[in-house]
């Protein structure tokens, strides 16, 4: 029986163990530095809540078949709805989640709207991403949609998400988001943490050993055996973020380390507020004429998602989870995320949650001037998601790390290796399936 060590109990690591255990004949051990499974999708639950909530906003798309199938196999339902996705621009909230809402968007000339709609339709139906990767999103979008659409619709989003790298992002990254994403969004019953815990329980029942609170800082290889945490293994599969992996496996050739160190990453910084009253105001007239948006339309009339298309704001999205999933699962309170992706050295990472909230509050009041945080804010938390977003530059396929490494019996898969897709639990699970086929 081959002894396999898996590093990381995020969805990629757990799924690798899941698919490996289905193949049989493997003695599997997982090492995870945190006390719970879930990685970037990790969540928590207060005593009076029925469901867990993620530290950072999470949902699924209708194309996320690996994640929905995994949930199904473990007996967990996935709820799909069509919540409102909106944009804050010109000091107002406007709906922007369908061709119709684009055509009624007030801040673009009709010619720009038509060019934008045509190119988005092209990207939605064109499966050939490779020719696109040699362009930056900026140059391609300006070329095909025009400068007005770039300035009004996309530049603030690229700037908010990628900061100093905003001009470098490959068009294939943008393509993947249009090609794969749906207006209907899914949520795992009980939360993503519930799925991670069910998966962990399944693995334990199958005899998989899982060590939490066990960070692996070095790995020694001798005579075809790997030694980790004083245990020996025939095979190691790492799902650690690439920069961590390169530090742990010091025997990797310098040329390999140099090549894959070039991929830059941003960290996620999310503030989660628990509120007595909903924060995002209802939209008066939705552009689709109030068509059905799911089984419980009264619950989704307030926006779930608000992109911030205003470069003066210190955050890039406001996500009101309880305008998507019912507040009854969370003690009848409302949950609001304030999201950011930032470089590791950004000053926000040195600030306390109170300092940051003070900084964010005037901007939140611009979104809803009549909201009284003193009356309604019950608590707020701050969470960091390390190495949460690789910076996908032009011709990324040339630097996409392969799952095999120059060292035999050492495999690696993480957010950097799912290209052309953008990071997501679905692709972490698909990656786990691929990794499980290697040993
Ligand atoms: C803000 C944000 C929003 C997101 N939104 C969505 C969404 O809406 N839908 C969606 O599907 N996905 C979303 N994602 C992405 C999703 O969470 C990730 O793609 C997925 O969880 C990645 O799983 P992974 O296992 O590849 O990596 P990770 O989750 O990063 O797992 C790596 C694991 O390795 C562990 N580890 C690190 N160092 C060590 C060490 N030295 N020793 C041992 N263990 C170690 C970590 O603790 C972690 O558990 C979002 C992510 C973020 C940050």
């Amino acid at each position: 029986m081959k002894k396999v060590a898996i590093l990381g109990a995020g969805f990629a690591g757990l799924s690798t163990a899941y698919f490996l255990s289905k193949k049989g004949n493997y003695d599997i051990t997982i090492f995870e530095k945190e006390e719970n499974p879930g990685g970037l999708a990790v969540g928590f639950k207060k005593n009076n809540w029925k469901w867990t909530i993620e530290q950072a906003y999470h949902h699924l798309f209708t194309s996320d078949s690996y994640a929905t199938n995994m949930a199904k196999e473990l007996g967990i339902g996935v709820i799909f709805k069509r919540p409102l996705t909106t944009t804050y621009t010109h000091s107002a909230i406007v709906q922007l989640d369908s061709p119709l809402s684009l055509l009624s968007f007030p801040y673009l000339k009709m010619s720009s709207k038509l060019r934008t709609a045509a190119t988005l339709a092209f990207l939605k139906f064109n499966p050939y991403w490779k020719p696109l990767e040699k362009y930056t999103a900026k140059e391609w979008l300006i070329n095909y949609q025009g400068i007005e659409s770039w300035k009004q619709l996309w530049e603030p989003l690229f700037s908010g998400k990628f900061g100093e790298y905003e001009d470098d992002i490959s068009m294939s990254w943008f393509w993947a988001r249009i090609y794969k994403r749906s207006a209907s969004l899914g949520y795992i019953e009980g939360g993503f943490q519930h799925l991670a815990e069910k998966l962990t329980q399944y693995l334990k029942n199958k005899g998989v050993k899982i060590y939490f609170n066990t960070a692996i800082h070095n790995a020694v290889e001798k005579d075809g055996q790997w030694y980790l945490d004083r245990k020996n293994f025939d095979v190691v599969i790492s799902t650690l973020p690439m920069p961590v992996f390169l530090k742990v496996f010091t025997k990797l050739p310098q040329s390999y380390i140099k090549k894959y160190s070039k991929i830059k990453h941003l960290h996620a910084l999310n503030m989660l507020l628990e509120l007595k009253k909903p924060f995002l105001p209802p939209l008066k007239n939705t552009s689709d004429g109030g068509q059905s948006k799911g089984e419980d339309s009264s619950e989704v009339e307030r926006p779930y998602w608000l992109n911030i298309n205003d470069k003066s704001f210190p955050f890039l999205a406001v996500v009101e989870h309880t305008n998507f999933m019912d507040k009854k699962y969370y003690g009848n309170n409302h949950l609001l995320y304030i999201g950011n992706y930032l470089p590791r050295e950004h000053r926000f990472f040195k600030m306390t949650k109170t300092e940051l909230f003070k900084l964010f509050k005037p901007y939140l009041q611009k979104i809803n001037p009549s909201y009284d945080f003193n009356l309604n804010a019950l608590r707020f938390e701050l969470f960091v998601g390390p190495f949460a977003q690789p910076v996908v530059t032009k011709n990324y396929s040339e630097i996409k790390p392969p799952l095999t490494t120059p060292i035999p019996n050492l495999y690696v898969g993480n957010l950097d290796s799912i290209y052309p897709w953008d990071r997501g639990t679905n692709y972490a699970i698909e990656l786990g399936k691929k990794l499980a086929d290697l040993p």
Side-chain angles (χ1 to χ4, degrees):
M1 206 184 240
K2 259 190 193 171
K3 288 179 81 178
V4 181
I6 296 172
L7 308 190
F11 273 97
L14 294 173
S15 306
T16 307
Y18 178 77
F19 292 111
L20 214 47
S21 72
K22 279 183 178 259
K23 283 169 71 182
N25 230 15
Y26 293 96
D27 177 356
I28 307 166
T29 304
I30 304 180
F31 295 102
E32 166 56 51
K33 86 172 162 62
E34 300 296 336
E35 61 178 336
N36 290 306
L40 289 172
V42 74
F44 65 96
K45 184 172 157 306
K46 273 178 59 179
N47 285 341
N48 63 332
W49 291 359
K50 294 194 175 83
W51 284 9
T52 62
I53 187 74
E54 298 70 48
Q55 292 185 353
Y57 42 81
H58 271 71
H59 52 246
L60 295 175
F61 299 99
T62 50
S63 58
D64 285 344
S65 54
Y66 284 93
T68 38
N69 287 342
M70 166 80 77
K72 218 183 279 169
E73 281 176 41
L74 294 168
I76 303 176
V78 180
I79 300 165
F80 274 92
K81 286 183 177 183
R82 184 166 173 187
L84 274 182
T85 297
T86 56
T87 297
Y88 180 82
T89 181
H90 299 82
S91 307
I93 297 177
V94 287
Q95 187 182 0
L96 201 50
D97 59 356
S98 64
L100 212 55
S101 58
L102 173 64
L103 290 177
S104 41
F105 186 68
Y107 308 108
L108 280 180
K109 288 199 297 271
M110 188 45 87
S111 57
S112 299
K113 291 184 201 182
L114 292 174
R115 282 173 77 183
T116 302
T119 51
L120 291 177
F122 165 75
L123 295 171
K124 187 83 202 148
F125 295 105
N126 163 45
Y128 305 108
W129 57 271
K130 193 81 177 39
L132 296 173
E133 75 162 1
K134 62 174 183 283
Y135 303 102
T136 65
K138 182 178 179 177
E139 63 188 332
W140 196 94
L141 289 170
I142 290 177
N143 197 17
Y144 288 97
Q145 297 189 350
I147 189 75
E148 197 196 18
S149 289
W150 170 254
K151 287 273 173 212
Q152 292 290 337
L153 298 177
W154 311 119
E155 190 191 32
L157 296 183
F158 275 83
S159 164
K161 179 135 189 173
F162 291 105
E164 61 182 296
Y165 306 111
E166 66 175 295
D167 294 347
D168 305 333
I169 306 306
S170 172
M171 185 56 200
S172 48
W173 177 85
F174 186 83
W175 165 85
R177 292 172 74 92
I178 302 297
Y179 187 69
K180 279 284 189 173
R181 296 191 167 195
S182 54
S184 282
L185 302 179
Y187 193 72
I188 292 169
E189 281 181 0
F192 284 66
Q193 185 63 35
H194 180 52
L195 178 59
E197 275 160 16
K198 270 266 184 157
L199 193 46
T200 303
Q201 198 49 55
Y202 170 95
L203 295 173
K204 284 184 177 166
N205 293 343
K206 289 273 175 189
V208 174
K209 296 174 271 297
I210 311 188
Y211 296 97
F212 290 106
N213 296 311
T214 310
I216 299 297
H217 297 299
N218 57 65
V220 179
E221 194 259 352
K222 210 175 156 226
D223 302 330
Q225 287 286 293
W226 284 102
Y227 293 86
L228 303 171
D229 197 39
R230 293 186 298 279
K231 298 170 188 70
N232 68 307
F233 299 93
D234 303 305
V235 176
V236 175
I237 303 178
S238 170
T239 67
L240 309 183
M242 205 62 186
V244 181
F245 170 73
L246 295 176
K247 280 211 175 99
V248 172
F249 292 88
T250 46
K251 271 200 165 177
L252 286 161
Q254 276 309 310
S255 55
Y256 179 95
I257 295 178
K258 203 171 155 205
K259 181 169 182 186
Y260 299 114
S261 304
K262 281 190 190 140
I263 303 169
K264 302 272 181 294
H265 298 85
L266 296 169
H267 300 252
L269 184 70
N270 266 281
M271 185 169 277
L272 178 59
L273 277 76
E274 189 181 353
L275 304 168
K276 278 193 214 160
K277 292 224 169 93
F279 170 72
L280 288 175
L283 280 197
K284 289 187 189 73
N285 293 308
T286 56
S287 67
D288 62 1
Q291 282 169 14
S292 167
K293 293 184 185 330
E295 44 183 302
D296 194 358
S297 62
S298 64
E299 287 294 319
V300 292
E301 284 309 302
R302 288 171 187 270
Y304 160 57
W305 192 278
L306 181 67
N307 280 319
I308 304 295
N309 269 31
D310 182 330
K311 284 168 86 169
S312 69
F313 272 54
F315 45 83
L316 73 99
V318 175
V319 182
E320 191 150 352
H321 178 79
T322 37
N323 291 343
F324 179 30
M325 289 298 118
D326 200 306
K327 64 181 174 9
K328 72 181 178 196
Y329 302 120
Y330 312 97
N332 283 320
N333 289 325
H334 299 262
L335 297 176
L336 183 79
Y337 292 101
I338 304 165
N340 256 320
Y341 284 97
L342 299 164
R344 199 181 204 166
E345 56 286 353
H346 196 279
R347 67 188 174 101
F348 286 3
F349 289 110
K350 296 178 194 96
M351 292 169 76
T352 64
K353 61 179 182 179
T354 312
E355 288 166 342
L356 260 185
F357 183 65
K358 213 169 141 193
L359 190 136
F360 289 167
K361 202 171 146 196
Y363 296 91
L364 292 168
Q365 298 288 193
K366 285 187 189 186
I367 296 168
N368 185 347
S370 62
Y371 197 82
D372 189 339
F373 281 101
N374 292 334
L375 272 184
N376 290 307
L378 294 166
R379 70 168 191 166
F380 53 100
E381 299 293 342
L382 196 59
F383 300 108
V384 177
F387 306 103
Q389 177 70 57
V391 176
V392 178
T393 45
K394 275 201 301 186
N395 299 313
Y396 184 88
S397 55
E398 288 168 15
I399 52 161
K400 170 181 162 172
L403 305 185
T404 52
T405 72
I407 303 181
N409 295 321
L410 174 63
Y411 303 100
V412 60
N414 48 46
L415 263 57
D416 300 10
S417 24
I418 56 164
Y419 180 78
W421 312 125
D422 190 24
R423 92 281 175 285
T425 49
N426 183 66
Y427 302 106
I429 295 169
E430 183 183 17
L431 179 65
K433 192 165 192 309
K434 287 182 183 160
L435 288 168
D437 281 336
L438 297 175

